[in-house]
Amino acid sequence: LSAKNTQKVKISMLFRRALLRELTSTAIAVFLVVLAIGVSRQLVRVLNLAAGGAVPSDSVFALLGFSAIFYLPLALSVTLFLAVLLVLTRAYRDSEMIVWFTAGLSLTAWIRPIFTFAAPLVVIIAVLSLGLSPWAEEKLYQIVNYRTLMQLPTVVTTDVMPESMRSAYPRIAARVLDPLSGNKIEILAPHYTLGRASSAPGGARPRKPAGNR
């Protein structure tokens, strides 16, 4: 009986180490992909503004860094969910789950390693959401406020409605939406990726949605 318990403990420890190692490697890969996608989109957007003169060239990397800090909690949340989902899916697909069940482990044996893996990420997400994100928002406000007070030309483009901006970022919205410091222009049009002409079968072009301007 003692030898059987010792073997079960060894199998359980081996299972936990293997699961934590796979969760960690999967999470690192997912996080790098998600972060690269988010930073690339923000980089293209900021560079377009800088090329048009709306943003000074020396502020490109600062704005990019602040935007990355804003997206870090979301990126880590997506990473945590996808890492657990991908590891569980792979274990079932490769019949690895059956091997562990045959070795005497139950489905509840997955709970403790997953919690051990998720706990540090949850703490990091909480710290970023409660600490660094407000700091980054404050720095963004300082940039917008400085350019407003110095009457420097600034163009702000967003797909967020003014009411949502006022509720999410009231200080920044107070400067951006101030009628005394600039003009607000609403453009009712489909997203730029939907307005591109693409070749359809037979040479016909897709019809544009009616009612858009």
Side-chain angles (χ1 to χ4, degrees):
L1 183 60
S2 177
K4 184 179 295 185
N5 290 337
T6 303
Q7 183 180 4
K8 188 174 181 179
V9 170
K10 290 182 178 180
I11 293 175
S12 178
M13 293 179 61
L14 178 63
F15 166 74
R16 290 176 185 176
R17 286 198 299 266
L19 181 57
L20 286 174
R21 184 169 57 250
E22 185 173 0
L23 284 171
T24 302
S25 59
T26 304
I28 292 174
V30 172
F31 177 74
L32 291 178
V33 172
V34 172
L35 186 64
I37 294 174
V39 171
S40 299
R41 293 187 61 183
Q42 289 299 319
L43 179 61
V44 171
R45 185 174 183 179
V46 174
L47 288 179
N48 285 334
L49 294 176
V55 173
S57 58
D58 56 350
S59 300
V60 170
F61 291 102
L63 292 175
L64 185 62
F66 296 147
S67 301
I69 293 176
F70 273 125
Y71 287 110
L72 273 180
L74 177 60
L76 289 174
S77 302
V78 173
T79 298
L80 177 60
F81 172 75
L82 288 180
V84 176
L85 179 64
L86 291 174
V87 170
L88 289 175
T89 303
R90 189 207 59 77
Y92 273 106
R93 185 183 67 247
D94 297 345
S95 301
E96 183 178 324
M97 194 74 73
I98 299 177
V99 176
W100 293 117
F101 288 161
T102 306
L105 296 177
S106 62
L107 189 59
T108 56
W110 289 74
I111 297 177
R112 184 175 177 181
I114 290 178
F115 279 175
T116 303
F117 164 75
L121 288 179
V122 172
V123 172
I124 294 175
I125 293 172
V127 171
L128 290 175
S129 300
L130 300 177
L132 290 182
S133 293
W135 174 82
E137 181 180 346
E138 175 65 23
K139 292 301 181 181
L140 270 179
Y141 170 76
Q142 291 178 6
I143 294 176
V144 174
N145 187 50
Y146 171 77
R147 297 187 66 82
T148 302
L149 294 178
M150 299 301 294
Q151 298 182 354
L152 299 175
T154 305
V155 177
V156 178
T157 60
T158 178
D159 56 356
V160 179
M161 299 299 293
E163 294 76 13
S164 301
M165 182 182 293
R166 288 190 180 97
S167 60
Y169 312 106
R171 300 178 65 196
I172 297 177
R175 287 300 189 187
V176 172
L177 302 177
D178 186 4
L180 299 179
S181 60
N183 298 323
K184 182 183 69 173
I185 302 176
E186 295 185 7
I187 302 177
L188 303 178
H191 195 271
Y192 74 96
T193 57
L194 301 178
R196 295 175 178 174
S198 58
S199 57
R205 289 188 173 182
R207 299 178 58 185
K208 295 184 178 179
N212 292 320
R213 290 182 290 173

